[in-house]
Amino acid sequence: MSGNVRIELPQARKDSHLRSGGPAITVRNLDKSYDDNHVLDDLSFDFERGKVYVIMGPSGCGKSTLLRQMIGAEHPDAGEVLIDGIDIHSNSRRLRDEARRKFGVLFQSSALLNGLTVAENVALPIQRHTDLPQSTIDLMVKLKLELVGMGNALDKYPYEISGGMKKRAGLARAIALDPAIVFYDEPSAGLDPVMIGVIDKLIKDPTSKLGITSVVITHEMPSIFRIADEVLMLWNGRFVFRGTPEALRNSTDPLVRQFLKGDPEGPIGAPRQLSELSERLIGPSARDARSATP
Ligand SMILES: Nc1ncnc2c1ncn2[C@@H]1O[C@H](COP(=O)(O)OP(=O)(O)O)[C@@H](O)[C@H]1O
Ligand SMILES: [Mg+2]
């Protein structure tokens, strides 16, 4: 009888579920410096399961650095990161692997390997983390690529496809193992508004339908208001804002206001190199000249 047929979920899928009942991600007292550049300053926060969290902030404020500490790609100077209660920086390789299987990552560059086809790129994490037969892997890869609208590009090489398609292939790879958490580093960078809308939908839909927790680094204001349950703004190593998109829109904080308006004048200074360049080209600014006057 068909009712008796049992379908075994691949081991990878069972492993990827969140089990602790606690937050999807917990960060405690995270600190990171590069030489005398103090990038992350004693950050602590929790991310609940099943929500989209957007992390925003000026270029160079440390968003990607925070991401690297959260996924265990880099070791913090102090503090801890728990993925479903498991320390991603644990000394135990078994625990690190267990935590690692719970999330996927879409990097800023998509990070596809040029020597492999799109399908082979998406198959990589499945091959690395499971013992599934190739025929099952092929099926999983095809499903994921169809989900992101890339079902007809399986045999293309990364250099043969557009930026938007690369992002979608990177996304298919990030969700290949049905992770409970997905991290995205600037998924819309360099894409046109329509493709940004497509990517937003690909982020938002699985979050609400499958209870996935998404952590998205982005500057794209329309995206933030479309996808975020909560927004966090990183500045000077700390979160200077955390709240709903609505609260962000209504915030009177000068840092938030300047960032939302894209105003060159305000508490967020222009990047140092840019100020130095403009100084060389057009001389010290009026303000600097005033403050230099005795
Ligand atoms: N591997 C590294 N070595 C030294 N400095 C780094 C390294 N990675 C990032 N930084 C510095 O840390 C700061 C934050 O960088 P990053 O996290 O890339 O910022 P964002 O992603 O917000 O643009 C910058 O000043 C950057 O130059
Ligand atoms: Mg970055």
Side-chain angles (χ1 to χ4, degrees):
M1 231 167 54
S2 65
N4 289 334
V5 175
R6 276 191 66 211
I7 298 174
E8 283 291 328
L9 283 175
Q11 190 58 37
R13 184 166 176 130
K14 284 191 242 164
D15 281 4
S16 69
H17 284 335
L18 297 185
R19 281 186 292 227
S20 72
I25 302 167
T26 300
V27 167
R28 289 279 166 267
N29 307 108
L30 195 67
D31 229 90
K32 181 71 183 177
S33 299
Y34 298 110
D35 299 320
D36 55 1
N37 184 5
H38 195 180
V39 181
L40 304 177
D41 182 8
D42 198 25
L43 281 180
S44 296
F45 56 89
D46 285 331
F47 285 169
E48 299 306 321
R49 53 190 64 203
K51 285 189 175 179
V52 178
Y53 293 91
V54 165
I55 298 175
M56 62 173 211
S59 288
C61 75
K63 303 178 296 296
S64 296
T65 300
L66 173 59
L67 177 76
R68 288 195 298 274
Q69 320 303 308
M70 288 169 85
I71 65 173
E74 221 173 62
H75 223 76
D77 299 333
E80 59 178 5
V81 176
L82 306 179
I83 305 290
D84 192 25
I86 306 170
D87 182 0
I88 188 72
H89 299 287
S90 163
N91 290 327
S92 150
R93 179 165 183 176
R94 188 185 59 76
L95 286 180
R96 285 201 310 272
D97 281 350
E98 196 181 327
R100 182 69 192 80
R101 273 197 296 273
K102 292 176 191 282
F103 62 81
V105 188
L106 176 58
F107 290 102
Q108 213 159 344
S109 57
S110 302
L112 298 175
L113 300 179
N114 260 324
L116 301 181
T117 64
V118 163
E120 287 164 348
N121 267 285
V122 177
L124 274 184
I126 314 179
Q127 283 158 344
R128 188 169 304 153
H129 291 288
T130 74
D131 299 320
L132 295 169
Q134 192 58 44
S135 55
T136 310
I137 295 179
D138 289 345
L139 199 65
M140 290 166 77
V141 166
K142 199 161 183 310
L143 273 171
K144 286 299 180 303
L145 281 167
E146 261 160 25
L147 191 70
V148 300
M150 292 274 291
N152 53 3
L154 271 72
D155 297 323
K156 292 254 192 293
Y157 284 88
Y159 52 82
E160 296 178 303
I161 59 178
S162 69
M165 290 170 86
K166 280 195 196 118
K167 289 280 181 191
R168 284 192 274 169
L171 180 55
R173 190 179 55 187
I175 59 175
L177 286 168
D178 291 320
I181 303 166
V182 186
F183 294 96
Y184 303 85
D185 195 353
E186 302 205 18
S188 325
L191 301 182
D192 64 68
V194 173
M195 190 49 67
I196 291 175
V198 171
I199 298 281
D200 284 350
K201 208 165 142 40
L202 289 171
I203 294 172
K204 187 74 183 170
D205 281 0
T207 305
S208 46
K209 285 187 192 140
L210 305 174
I212 287 177
T213 304
S214 299
V215 180
V216 187
I217 295 172
T218 184
H219 290 129
E220 244 2 275
M221 285 304 152
S223 289
I224 293 176
F225 290 107
R226 271 198 296 259
I227 66 175
D229 291 302
E230 275 197 64
V231 188
L232 298 93
M233 180 168 165
L234 186 64
W235 195 70
N236 266 357
R238 297 271 182 135
F239 287 123
V240 292
F241 175 89
R242 177 173 180 165
T244 62
E246 202 47 40
L248 181 76
R249 207 193 300 271
N250 297 328
S251 171
T252 54
D253 184 304
L255 284 168
V256 174
R257 300 280 2 128
Q258 185 191 355
F259 195 73
L260 292 191
K261 284 194 299 182
D263 193 341
E265 296 289 329
I268 305 173
R272 202 182 308 133
Q273 307 89 306
L274 200 63
S275 320
E276 280 162 12
L277 179 68
S278 75
E279 198 160 301
R280 257 193 287 137
L281 293 174
I282 58 175
S285 71
R287 195 185 333 175
D288 291 346
R290 265 202 310 278
S291 59
T293 315

